[in-house]
Amino acid sequence: SEFDRAAEDLGVERVRNTYSGYLASCGLTIPRLDNVARTVDLALEMQRIVERYNAESNQRIALRVVINTGAVSSGLVGRAGPVYDMWGSAVNLAAAIRRSTAKPGVYVATGVYEVTRDTRRYLPAGSVSIGGREEPVWLLVEDDT
């Protein structure tokens, strides 16, 4: 519920929860010029939510976020219990990055890196092979200031 509240505050739409994930989109239903920046802001707020939870409950939950940008298709899927979902190459790349990164952090694809590199700091985090090509992966590094 805290993730949903943060998403709503930032104008990011939750698409669905999975057994191990949270799928969200910004700019899909309401066009936004700053959709990428809003999504990065949500990832950072989600990290703060997890840190607060850990401090209050003496837990050690870690969060791994993957952000990509690009064209997607979306809609209701299924008959008996339809769910809203997204699919396409942008979603596939994000899923490939998620599978290739085991450590907590905020990982982004090149499109997100290009849009936000002047306002955020990143470190190279390897690459992922998808569709016969290598795609660079970046790790968001937040300063302690």
Side-chain angles (χ1 to χ4, degrees):
S1 66
E2 290 293 318
F3 287 176
D4 286 348
R5 189 176 354 271
E8 185 178 336
D9 289 348
L10 288 163
V12 177
E13 302 93 29
R14 177 179 54 87
V15 174
R16 66 181 168 87
N17 291 350
T18 65
Y19 67 95
S20 66
Y22 187 94
L23 181 61
S25 173
C26 187
L28 185 63
T29 59
I30 299 171
R32 298 186 186 276
L33 294 175
D34 61 347
N35 62 318
V36 174
R38 286 172 182 259
T39 305
V40 172
D41 288 345
L42 175 60
L44 294 171
E45 182 58 24
M46 291 170 88
Q47 283 186 320
R48 288 188 285 272
I49 290 167
V50 168
E51 288 169 4
R52 280 193 307 269
Y53 175 80
N54 284 342
E56 293 169 2
S57 65
N58 201 27
Q59 298 292 316
R60 294 290 310 145
I61 295 174
L63 182 69
R64 183 181 45 183
V65 177
V66 176
I67 305 171
N68 192 17
T69 185
V72 297
S73 295
S74 64
L76 291 175
V77 179
R79 278 189 185 181
V83 296
Y84 186 71
D85 204 358
M86 292 187 322
W87 57 92
S89 60
V91 176
N92 294 343
L93 177 56
I97 293 170
R98 182 172 180 249
R99 285 188 303 272
S100 73
T101 56
K103 293 184 179 180
V106 177
Y107 296 89
V108 304
T110 298
V112 175
Y113 169 77
E114 292 293 331
V115 170
T116 59
R117 69 180 177 185
D118 291 336
T119 58
R120 301 288 184 187
R121 194 164 65 98
Y122 295 94
L123 294 174
S127 64
V128 63
S129 180
I130 188 163
R133 64 183 194 280
E134 290 293 312
E135 294 286 341
V137 177
W138 305 90
L139 175 64
L140 178 63
V141 178
E142 280 300 292
D143 295 322
D144 293 334
T145 57

